[in-house]
Amino acid sequence: MVRTSMGLLAGVVAATFMTSALAEGAGISGGVVKVGVLTDMSGPFSDLAGKGSIAAVKMAVDDFVATAKPSFKVEMISADHQNKIDIAASTARKWYDSDGVDVIVDAINSGVALAVSNVARAQNKMLIVTGSGTTSLTNEQCTPNTISYTWDTYAYAKGTARLVKGQDLDSWYFVAVDYALGKSLVNEATAALKATGGKIAGVVYHPIAASDFSSFILQAQASKAKVVALANAGGDLLNSIKAANDFAVSPGQRLVPIIGTITEVHALGPKATQGMLLLEPFYWNQSEASRTWSKRYKEVTGKMPNFVQAGAYSATMNYLKAVKAVGADDPAAVMKYLKSHPINDIYARNGRIREDGRMVYDLNIVEVKKPSEISEAWDYYTIKEVIPGDEAFQPLAESRCKLVKR
């Protein structure tokens, strides 16, 4: 009887295991989950995302397969959208329609992100935006298929206003990129500054990937505004900071990059950026987990990750975990899981994905160290303050997303 009972028990355990394994992959179309990285490989955002984002997503895929040992295959493909909306949309459509892509990540460039979001909804696939920050993704153009995972212009504008509060920096002049990102940053920052009694001295828009920033910086300098705010990103931000240094904008005026990252700090060096205050969603040295992962990333790429690249890793890993948990790649099922489970990992602290698709989590205010304070390579930041996610991001009460229950 003992042997029979033990045999029955073993059979039940084996059957249960096999049933669980089969159930895990039963809802996976074709038995393969495919992740597409749609990024800027050759333009002004290539250092901010580009090959670095692709490397981060590959790390996530490899780590997931090694640790979760899923019953389904995981594959990854990538493409350069060239910062052209038509190329981005057609690539996404082909990926979703013909190539079996289940989710697209990165989508840096706000125009690209909005276009791909529309395609994802039409094809009933998923998009996790880790590169672009337009708040339209979680407001007027929100969809049940898109997540805005890393940053947005509302949080950065509000955070920037918080940076200078109480420092008598009440007049601002914007040098902004002339497309959705720059306009959204200017609009959001203007509202945040006026709410704290600030004044807007003016704004000048420059084309994306401008070759010469001298005229734009000279206009900002001539305004006599206390702050010259740079509402651009990637290569444009790097070149505008160089121009501002060439024309000695500081210390007469405070230079505030609204979307500065460790990529630009490293490129310019701490001597040129020391004392600069930045809002950073991620810093490689913010925790033991982030340090360990970032050093692995550096072994692969030769550089420490910025928040776009770390966010791409986190988004991919959490997406794959959700697929495994629900046993399906159905967007509605995966999204339901992601919106009902907290996210705490190498990237996010106290993270949660809301009904409008916005991932809310804690953000850092950092200060660039003096060269004499740096103890190791890439040790550029001192974390001055942590802003709780609910204070950083747009509250649901202000949301214009039709998915938000009133």
Side-chain angles (χ1 to χ4, degrees), residues 54-75:
I54 294 171
V57 172
K58 187 178 186 304
M59 285 179 67
V61 169
D62 291 346
D63 288 352
F64 174 77
V65 171
T67 57
K69 295 179 171 52
S71 62
F72 51 87
K73 293 181 179 179
V74 184
E75 298 177 356

Side-chain angles (χ1 to χ4, degrees), residues 58-392:
K58 187 178 186 304
M59 285 179 67
V61 169
D62 291 346
D63 288 352
F64 174 77
V65 171
T67 57
K69 295 179 171 52
S71 62
F72 51 87
K73 293 181 179 179
V74 184
E75 298 177 356
M76 184 198 82
I77 60 175
S78 61
D80 182 359
H81 58 55
Q82 300 175 46
N83 291 292
K84 296 179 179 178
I85 293 174
D86 57 340
I87 291 177
S90 63
T91 300
R93 195 172 293 111
K94 179 179 179 296
W95 278 1
Y96 288 144
D97 277 349
S98 307
D99 297 340
V101 168
D102 297 287
V103 63
I104 292 175
V105 298
D106 194 326
I108 197 164
N109 180 316
S110 295
V112 163
L114 291 169
V116 176
S117 182
N118 288 332
V119 175
R121 182 172 189 178
Q123 303 300 322
N124 192 30
K125 297 288 187 174
M126 279 188 64
L127 168 66
I128 307 181
V129 179
T130 55
S132 304
T134 175
T135 54
S136 293
L137 288 167
T138 52
N139 280 302
E140 297 87 357
Q141 298 192 48
C142 70
T143 87
N145 298 71
T146 296
I147 296 172
S148 182
Y149 198 86
T150 54
W151 72 285
D152 65 34
T153 53
Y154 181 99
Y156 267 62
K158 188 174 181 180
T160 300
R162 185 173 181 142
L163 290 181
V164 299
K165 186 177 180 180
Q167 297 187 42
D168 193 33
L169 300 175
D170 57 0
S171 61
W172 286 49
Y173 191 97
F174 292 95
V175 176
V177 63
D178 191 13
Y179 80 109
L181 170 66
K183 293 176 181 178
S184 184
L185 278 173
V186 170
N187 290 338
E188 299 283 5
T190 296
L193 289 165
K194 286 184 176 179
T196 59
K199 299 177 181 178
I200 308 304
V203 56
V204 60
Y205 288 98
H206 66 80
I208 189 171
S211 58
D212 184 2
F213 281 84
S214 57
S215 65
F216 309 116
I217 293 299
L218 286 171
Q219 288 181 63
Q221 194 171 39
S223 73
K224 304 298 183 183
K226 294 179 181 178
V227 170
V228 174
L230 303 175
N232 50 21
D236 286 333
L237 176 58
L238 187 66
N239 290 329
S240 53
I241 293 175
K242 288 179 180 177
N245 287 334
D246 288 343
F247 289 102
V249 166
S250 296
Q253 294 167 293
R254 185 71 174 267
L255 193 66
V256 176
I258 301 180
I259 317 175
T261 75
I262 199 167
T263 298
E264 291 80 43
V265 171
H266 182 72
L268 293 166
K271 185 176 180 180
T273 57
Q274 60 183 311
M276 192 176 286
L277 293 169
L278 304 171
L279 192 69
E280 277 278 21
F282 169 86
Y283 178 41
W284 70 270
N285 207 18
Q286 68 187 19
S287 70
E288 187 58 40
S290 64
R291 279 192 292 273
T292 300
W293 178 80
S294 297
K295 288 179 179 179
R296 286 178 52 217
Y297 178 90
K298 187 173 182 290
E299 289 176 0
V300 174
T301 65
K303 300 178 181 180
M304 283 296 184
N306 58 41
F307 78 84
V308 172
Q309 294 151 353
Y313 176 92
S314 173
T316 303
M317 179 63 79
N318 283 293
Y319 169 80
L320 293 172
K321 286 180 178 178
V323 170
K324 185 177 189 295
V326 302
D329 54 9
D330 174 66
V334 174
M335 192 70 81
K336 182 178 180 181
Y337 181 91
L338 286 170
K339 289 182 177 180
S340 60
H341 288 75
I343 295 176
N344 287 284
D345 60 7
I346 61 102
Y347 178 81
R349 291 161 296 172
N350 302 311
R352 58 187 175 86
I353 298 171
R354 301 188 313 199
E355 57 201 276
D356 60 348
R358 173 69 259 166
M359 211 260 273
V360 174
Y361 61 105
D362 300 346
L363 302 181
N364 303 311
I365 292 178
V366 302
E367 182 175 9
V368 180
K369 295 180 178 179
K370 298 176 182 177
S372 60
E373 297 172 336
I374 295 174
S375 59
E376 61 179 306
W378 293 86
D379 175 37
Y380 296 136
Y381 293 158
T382 298
I383 297 177
K384 305 295 288 185
E385 182 182 356
V386 176
I387 308 175
D390 287 335
E391 295 181 24

Side-chain angles (χ1 to χ4, degrees), residues 40-62:
D40 176 9
M41 293 289 290
S42 53
F45 309 121
S46 55
D47 285 338
L48 195 58
K51 292 180 180 178
S53 285
I54 294 171
V57 172
K58 187 178 186 304
M59 285 179 67
V61 169
D62 291 346

